[in-house]
Each structure stands twice: as structure tokens, then as C-alpha cells.
Amino acid sequence: MKSEPVSSYESRRSSTTMPDDRTTVTELGTALGMFGYPDVSTALAARPPELTIRSSEWDRLDMLYADGRYRAEYEAAFLNGGAFLRARDALRERRPAVVEWTGGRKPPGDEVVPADLRVDHVYLVSCKYRSQIVVNASPVHLFERLLTGGYGRRGSDWYVQIAPEEHAALYAMVRRALDDIELPEKASQLSSAQRRAIAKSLGRTWPEECVPLYQAIVERVSAESARVWKNALGSSTESVLWRLLRIGSAPYFVLGSAPTGFVRLRIATPWDWRRHFELRGFDVEPRPGGQPMVDWRAVVRDRGTRAERVVAGHVEVRWSHGRFSGPPEAKVYLDTPHAQVPGYFSLQ
């Protein structure tokens, strides 16, 4: 029997979405840097067999490098992979025997580790290049279920659930403003094609008569989301903070970049976190702005130095795929620089 060029795990792509070009470059460029080649072009020419990707994906990497558009991303990712190869906490100058790429696949279980690469079946690596988003979930999953279970699940229309009157008033005004599109009386009756038509017509600017109605939704959704979240938290604040920070039962690494430079981190487990830190407070509040937002803020004490530090972020609750198109999603952002987050240790 002819052997496949990828592992059996790689061949089972039950929930696959093709990653965009930039994501492909940053993730696989990071992997290429782990093999010790002097530069990107040499690594691409060698096509190390330990990196288990298809020949078509190698071809895509070659094309993207030759194009030159993502040359800076290639170089930064390659340097991060080299740092991982040399790091005392990671490979320690040992060339990996196998590097597997998730390649846009969703994890089959309730996985909380956001791994893009798996090295030698042990090291899990998340590639984060200039992104502050740590969680993208449904509002119900975040505010009511506190991120328990699998990530990325979508639920009902959160705007309808907690701001039904404001949502109905806004839709009625949009329906009148877009009188060139045939739309049903209620938003719940919209077809997928009609939702896409509304999103395309509205773009990024509301008709003038819709602005105050949308602002009413912003204020109501922000306030109600914060209220629901507070009521659900109870005594679960520590575990919720861990989920927000993507601190899970397995340690993993984050390699990437931020406006301040490279991001090279080892992420602790809850067991490690409790050895070093103590949660002193966790608060959520609605944030005013142009879209529904909720701020979150934790005060953490270092058990060794007794010094306290703040880790903070915010949640944006917004329609997915454009206005009135997909159901609202909750994007959780980390506002505190990665190097200052308790439980994020610099890669040595």
C-alpha cells in the first residue's frame, strides 16, 4: 500500500477551513524556523519531510514567498521558530522529528489549547501575530456558560435575546431605509440571501435615521451583557480568568509578534498559576462606544513578591459577517501586554 505524505491525524479533516495566506505564512513559517536552516529560502527548497503537510501546501508556501507580499511575516515567523529551536524551555537545539500543522481544522473535542502546531507529539504551539483576540465564542457561551465546553460554538441571536425591543425597532427602520430590497416584516423571517443583501447594502455606515436606534442597541446590549455575566460568575472568577487567558490543563507556547516586538511565551497550567499567583478581584462593566462592549479586569497578587498587578481586556459583541447577517459573536480581547500577564512566562 502506498503511504500517505501526511499522518493519519492530518488526513482526517472533518471540520476544515482553508486558512488565509497570511495565516499560512506565519504558522508554517514558524514551523520552518524550527529545523535550523539558515534562511527561509533554504528551508523552502529543502522541504523538510518532518513537517507533515501536503505537496500542494508546499507549493502554496513557495508561491507566497516568491510573491513577496508577506516577506516580512515570513522572516518574523522564521526567527520565532529558530528561537523555539534554541530555547532552554523548548527544543534545546534538537531538530524536531515531526511537526504537525492544524491548518484551519477545528479540534474534535472540548479543546482549550489554541494550538496551531504540534511538535514531536508533545509541544503545542500557538502562533499569534499582531492579534489581541484570545477567544471568539457566542455571547451565550461566554456570558451564560462562562466558556465551559468547546470554543467557537454559535448560539441564538444575542441581540434579540437581551434587547428585543431595540432590535425590532432597528430592523423596522432598516427595512424602510432599504426599500429597494424585499424584506419580511420580522428579522427572524430573513433568509440567508436576504441577510447577505442587508449586510452588503449597509456596509459600514448606518442610514442617518438608524443611528440613534443602533445606539440604543449598543447601550442595552452592553449593560445587559455585563449584568448577565456578573450574575453567572458567582464563585467561578478564577476559572473564568483562566479560560479568558487560554490557560488550560496542558502547558503550551505562544510564538508571534506585537507592536512592541516578538512574543515568545510559555503558558502555565492552572496548577502552575496557583503556585505563583492569587486572584484578588475580578470585575466586569459595560464600556461605552460605537458597538456593544464589556470590560473585564482582574487583580492578581504575586505570591513571591506580594506585589499586585492588573490584567485587563474587553469583549466586543458584534454581528458576524456583517449587520443582520450572522448571529452576534463575542470576541474577547486582551488589552494587557502579553509579557505582563500572570501565567505568561517569557521563553528562555
Side-chain angles (χ1 to χ4, degrees):
M1 179 181 294
K2 183 179 179 181
S3 61
E4 294 184 3
V6 294
S7 69
S8 59
Y9 173 80
E10 288 287 324
S11 66
R12 291 194 293 269
R13 301 190 172 204
S14 57
S15 300
T16 305
T17 57
M18 178 64 72
D20 61 32
D21 290 343
R22 186 175 181 275
T23 298
T24 297
V25 165
T26 54
E27 294 179 0
L28 290 178
T30 301
L32 286 173
M34 297 179 185
F35 293 103
Y37 295 105
D39 51 50
V40 177
S41 60
T42 303
L44 287 172
R47 293 196 173 190
E50 298 92 342
L51 178 55
T52 58
I53 60 175
R54 291 179 166 82
S55 59
S56 60
E57 290 163 335
W58 280 116
D59 293 341
R60 186 180 178 201
L61 280 176
D62 289 337
M63 179 272 292
L64 292 172
Y65 187 73
D67 176 77
R69 190 186 321 169
Y70 300 103
R71 192 62 57 89
E73 287 85 349
Y74 249 124
E75 298 296 340
F78 189 81
L79 289 174
N80 271 335
F84 189 80
L85 171 64
R86 296 185 298 273
R88 185 181 64 205
D89 293 341
L91 290 174
R92 302 184 182 186
E93 299 281 2
R94 181 182 57 79
R95 181 184 173 104
V98 60
V99 178
E100 297 165 290
W101 180 46
T102 62
R105 288 180 300 282
K106 295 180 180 180
D110 290 345
E111 182 60 72
V112 296
V113 174
D116 300 305
L117 302 170
R118 186 172 68 172
V119 183
D120 288 345
H121 308 296
V122 175
Y123 301 102
L124 304 175
V125 179
S126 174
C127 301
K128 298 287 288 184
Y129 287 84
R130 294 186 176 271
S131 174
Q132 293 176 291
I133 300 175
V134 286
V135 176
N136 184 10
S138 73
V140 168
H141 190 201
L142 174 61
F143 299 129
E144 293 186 352
R145 299 206 302 266
L146 305 181
L147 296 176
T148 57
Y151 280 80
R153 295 176 180 173
R154 293 289 173 260
S156 60
D157 192 316
W158 186 247
Y159 291 173
V160 174
Q161 181 175 331
I162 65 173
E165 295 179 2
E166 292 83 356
H167 183 272
L170 177 62
Y171 174 71
M173 185 61 73
V174 165
R175 186 167 174 250
R176 287 196 290 270
L178 303 181
D179 55 5
D180 57 329
I181 303 175
E182 185 176 348
L183 299 173
E185 184 177 348
K186 296 181 179 180
S188 60
Q189 299 169 332
L190 287 166
S191 67
S192 297
Q194 288 169 329
R195 291 182 181 277
R196 289 193 296 269
I198 291 177
K200 183 178 180 180
S201 295
L202 290 177
R204 294 181 176 273
T205 304
W206 288 104
E208 184 177 353
E209 60 270 30
C210 294
V211 172
L213 296 174
Y214 176 66
Q215 192 57 41
I217 277 193
V218 168
E219 294 173 2
R220 181 68 180 272
V221 170
S222 298
E224 285 297 297
S225 296
R227 182 189 64 80
V228 170
W229 202 5
K230 282 183 179 181
N231 289 342
L233 280 168
S235 60
S236 302
T237 52
E238 185 182 47
S239 57
V240 169
L241 177 61
W242 293 338
R243 293 176 198 134
L244 289 172
L245 297 178
R246 304 304 291 269
I247 290 175
S249 56
Y252 66 99
F253 300 87
V254 173
L255 301 176
S257 64
T260 54
F262 287 106
V263 175
R264 296 164 180 169
L265 303 167
R266 175 174 58 84
I267 309 301
T269 65
W271 183 77
D272 299 318
W273 198 93
R274 276 191 175 170
R275 288 178 59 205
H276 294 280
F277 308 106
E278 175 189 5
L279 180 61
R280 303 292 293 168
F282 185 88
D283 298 304
V284 299
E285 297 291 340
R287 176 194 282 195
Q291 62 183 331
M293 290 185 287
V294 179
D295 283 331
W296 57 270
R297 179 180 183 272
V299 179
V300 177
R301 175 183 289 172
D302 189 301
R303 293 187 186 275
T305 65
R306 309 304 293 172
E308 291 188 348
R309 67 177 94 169
V310 173
V311 56
H314 68 280
V315 182
E316 294 181 357
V317 184
R318 62 192 186 198
W319 278 295
S320 59
H321 310 299
R323 295 165 179 178
F324 285 99
S325 185
E329 58 189 0
K331 289 186 177 292
V332 181
Y333 290 79
L334 177 63
D335 297 333
T336 300
H338 287 78
Q340 299 175 22
V341 175
Y344 288 12
F345 299 106
S346 295
L347 188 62
Q348 301 298 317

